[in-house]
Amino acid sequence: MLLSERVKELYSSLSENFRGNLLKPESDGYQEASCIWNGMVARTPALIARCADVADLQAAIRSAASLDVLTAVRCGGHSLAGFGTCDGGMAIDLSRMRQVTVDASARSARFGGGCLLGSVDAVTQAQGLAFPAGVVSHTGASGLILGGGFGWLTRLCGLSCDNITGFRLVTADGSVVHADAKENADLFWALRGGGGNFGVVTKFEATLHPVSSVLLGTAFCGEADIALMLRRWREFMPDAPDNLKWNISLRCAQPSDNLPPKYLVRPVAQQFVLWVGDPDQGRPHVERALSICRHVAVNLQPMSFLALQTMADHEFPHGRRYYTKSGYFRTLDDSSIKKMVEATAEIPSPMTQVELAYLGGAAARIPAGETAFGDRSSPFVVNLLGNWSRPAEDSANISWVQNLFAAIRPAMTPGVYINFMSGDEDDRTPEAYRERWDRLVAVKSKYDPNNFFRLNQNIPPKREKEQSANSR
Ligand SMILES: Cc1cc2nc3c(=O)[nH]c(=O)nc-3n(C[C@H](O)[C@H](O)[C@H](O)COP(=O)(O)OP(=O)(O)OC[C@H]3O[C@@H](n4cnc5c(N)ncnc54)[C@H](O)[C@@H]3O)c2cc1C
């Protein structure tokens, strides 16, 4: 049977009891519902199943699996590769599953598999608590956590996946399964970093941390000083307190940066030095960081955690065109620094940038085998983020990212963060997991033997034959 006929059958099998919305291309609201964050990825699912509850989700998965309908799963739709949608098949949309409950005395929360980071922050912050996650509030919590998840609190509290104590999910046969340290421990291990390979998470059980205000230092470093600044940042971070997180963006200065004219349209390093905790205690640390070399437009500002978490939202709007390549460095070598600074002078779009972050801290203290998440031993993360508006600029921006990546890749340590991978990097998925790969394949083969969940950084199951040969 053709895919279009199977989708028709899927629709009629679901339509009677489905409590959420089933949207076909001709339905009201389909157009909006079919768009994902990356404007480079325009796909047309034949059916969008916006599930209202777990029963809807089970029905959608069971029917699609039995009819062999290609299925995408979407929480926030931020997958750079566009895995939250597909052509011709079904997209499961979890946006109606955004319930969040907090137990303030236990410092824990439960939240639904469709939550955005902002949905979680709004409820947890009302109790002065925070879940460690990413830096843009319209990112989906599910994709971010399942891939690992890092942000402002990573050095103090660990990765997002390190702060999950239990998952509830619907697996490929439609069963509801719970995974924690005691129950289905193999799955619990795999879900913390292994992405969307094992089922659709409907509920996360999470550890929260007390966080109220923070102190943010911002500044710019001009072109002539960037290389020196990066070398000093490289020396500074290994001994920095866990409360201090320092992110850097290399890009070209814009009029909106309000810098003196000589900086305009020339490379700058924009600094974000954050202290999590008492601002008075943090001030000397942030000042020290910003004194390691010449900075302009220095500003220190206590702010609420919610303000911090939404500060970058406008820089990454839905529908713009994005392309990335990313990797880790054990230490940032002088030659790579030079290449990044030189390439910044040639950036083709004012929004395109090189993002640099240093992990370490609590994230690095979790033993390597404890979760499926890839490398924790190389603290420097570099993300080359192409960000532009017009299709005519695709080639210039993609080439810029690819050329710089090719130049600095030899100095990187093997490994990649799956959540920073573009759609043309399938071959890097084993690189992301390396010594964890076989264990992940075993868990995948157990919970999704037919690879129903394959629109992700895919871990293919062992084929049936191989499985039975191995078990003989
Ligand atoms: C603007 C922006 C900012 C970002 N900032 C950060 C950051 O600060 N830190 C960081 O670590 N990452 C960050 N990322 C990367 C982000 O973690 C990934 O893009 C992530 O995949 C987004 O998750 P999502 O749910 O929004 O995406 P989606 O496209 O909805 O899903 C991504 C993947 O997860 C799967 N999936 C989604 N929901 C579920 C579910 N409930 N159960 C099982 N599988 C599911 C999907 O099938 C897909 O394979 C950022 C991305 C963007 C676009």
Side-chain angles (χ1 to χ4, degrees):
M1 219 194 309
L2 291 172
L3 178 60
S4 56
E5 288 163 12
R6 283 179 274 135
V7 175
K8 260 190 203 149
E9 206 168 314
L10 173 63
Y11 178 82
S12 45
S13 78
L14 292 178
S15 50
E16 200 175 323
N17 296 317
F18 206 76
R19 293 186 54 243
N21 318 90
L22 292 171
L23 303 174
K24 295 196 276 189
E26 60 275 20
S27 312
D28 279 353
Y30 173 91
Q31 200 54 36
E32 202 188 326
S34 68
C35 294
I36 59 163
W37 172 79
N38 190 351
M40 291 273 283
V41 184
R43 296 192 184 125
T44 312
L47 182 62
I48 299 176
R50 185 172 281 161
C51 302
D53 53 24
V54 174
D56 276 357
L57 184 59
Q58 287 179 286
I61 291 174
R62 281 198 183 114
S63 300
S66 71
L67 289 160
D68 192 21
V69 170
L70 179 69
T71 298
V73 178
R74 182 193 314 161
C75 171
H78 270 211
S79 157
L80 283 143
F83 287 132
T85 186
C86 61
D87 273 327
M90 171 173 70
I92 291 177
D93 174 342
L94 300 169
S95 62
R96 286 184 62 173
M97 300 174 76
R98 290 195 175 151
Q99 302 77 5
V100 183
T101 55
V102 173
D103 180 343
S105 59
R107 290 187 181 166
S108 67
R110 287 165 187 256
F111 49 86
C115 278
L116 304 183
L117 300 185
S119 357
V120 178
D121 283 342
V123 180
T124 54
Q125 274 292 280
Q127 308 282 347
L129 297 166
F131 173 70
V135 303
V136 171
S137 76
H138 48 76
T139 309
S142 282
L144 180 132
I145 296 168
L146 292 167
F150 36 75
W152 293 117
L153 302 182
T154 303
R155 287 172 49 73
L156 192 60
C157 312
L159 301 176
S160 305
C161 69
D162 300 335
N163 288 279
I164 296 296
T165 54
F167 298 86
R168 187 164 290 275
L169 66 158
V170 178
T171 52
D173 64 0
S175 313
V176 174
V177 173
H178 188 262
D180 63 20
K182 293 199 177 126
E183 196 181 354
N184 300 311
D186 55 346
L187 187 56
F188 181 57
W189 173 83
L191 286 165
R192 289 173 296 154
N197 274 284
F198 311 100
V200 180
V201 176
T202 57
K203 191 138 286 179
F204 295 92
E205 295 154 18
T207 301
L208 304 179
H209 301 263
V211 178
S212 45
S213 65
V214 298
L215 179 72
L216 180 70
T218 53
F220 289 88
C221 178
E223 185 172 7
D225 298 314
I226 297 176
L228 175 67
M229 188 280 298
L230 288 175
R231 290 199 294 274
R232 292 194 174 154
W233 175 66
R234 169 181 80 190
E235 313 301 326
F236 181 97
M237 282 313 296
D239 298 323
D242 289 353
N243 304 60
L244 189 136
K245 182 84 169 66
W246 185 346
N247 295 353
I248 299 169
S249 291
L250 306 184
R251 58 181 180 78
C252 285
Q254 299 305 306
S256 55
D257 293 321
N258 293 321
L259 292 172
K262 68 171 182 173
Y263 292 96
L264 205 59
V265 209
R266 295 306 309 158
V268 285
Q270 186 173 17
Q271 317 285 343
F272 300 92
V273 186
L274 185 80
W275 180 265
V276 185
D278 177 8
D280 291 336
Q281 199 194 339
R283 187 169 289 271
H285 294 277
V286 175
E287 283 172 348
R288 204 178 123 238
L290 291 176
S291 69
I292 63 167
C293 83
R294 217 164 18 165
H295 281 105
V296 287
V298 177
N299 181 38
L300 267 64
Q301 188 188 358
M303 56 166 63
S304 71
F305 184 68
L306 280 181
L308 176 77
Q309 289 293 90
T310 50
M311 177 178 82
D313 284 4
H314 67 280
E315 285 182 47
F316 307 100
H318 289 78
R320 215 143 66 187
R321 307 175 81 77
Y322 302 93
Y323 180 80
T324 63
K325 285 212 177 283
S326 172
Y328 297 102
F329 286 86
R330 190 142 298 163
T331 186
L332 210 49
D333 61 299
D334 290 352
S335 163
S336 297
I337 289 177
K338 187 165 175 279
K339 288 171 187 166
M340 289 190 285
V341 177
E342 283 169 2
T344 303
E346 309 291 324
I347 275 179
S349 151
M351 288 91 79
T352 288
Q353 56 189 282
V354 178
E355 297 180 324
L356 295 128
Y358 184 92
L359 299 178
R365 288 193 289 272
I366 303 282
E370 198 163 311
T371 67
F373 180 78
D375 201 342
R376 292 169 185 260
S377 62
S378 295
F380 293 92
V381 186
V382 173
N383 189 30
L384 311 181
L385 175 57
N387 173 347
W388 67 100
S389 300
R390 294 186 306 124
E393 299 163 26
D394 286 0
S395 141
N397 282 278
I398 292 171
S399 302
W400 182 87
V401 169
Q402 289 176 338
N403 291 340
L404 178 55
F405 183 69
I408 61 176
R409 189 173 192 183
M412 288 175 165
T413 42
V416 58
Y417 176 36
I418 65 157
N419 280 346
F420 286 173
M421 283 166 67
S422 280
D424 57 0
E425 298 194 293
D426 286 356
D427 57 330
R428 292 185 80 194
T429 306
E431 179 195 337
Y433 296 113
R434 286 175 296 152
E435 60 273 26
R436 295 158 199 84
W437 182 253
D438 289 346
R439 197 171 162 191
L440 280 163
V441 171
V443 181
K444 175 77 175 180
S445 309
K446 179 172 167 189
Y447 290 95
D448 185 15
N450 298 320
N451 209 5
F452 177 72
F453 299 110
R454 57 183 177 278
L455 293 176
N456 43 44
Q457 281 79 24
N458 196 232
I459 300 164
K462 276 189 195 150
R463 279 199 230 109
E464 258 173 53
K465 257 196 205 153
E466 279 175 61
Q467 286 201 54
S468 54
N470 289 347
S471 61
R472 252 184 254 134

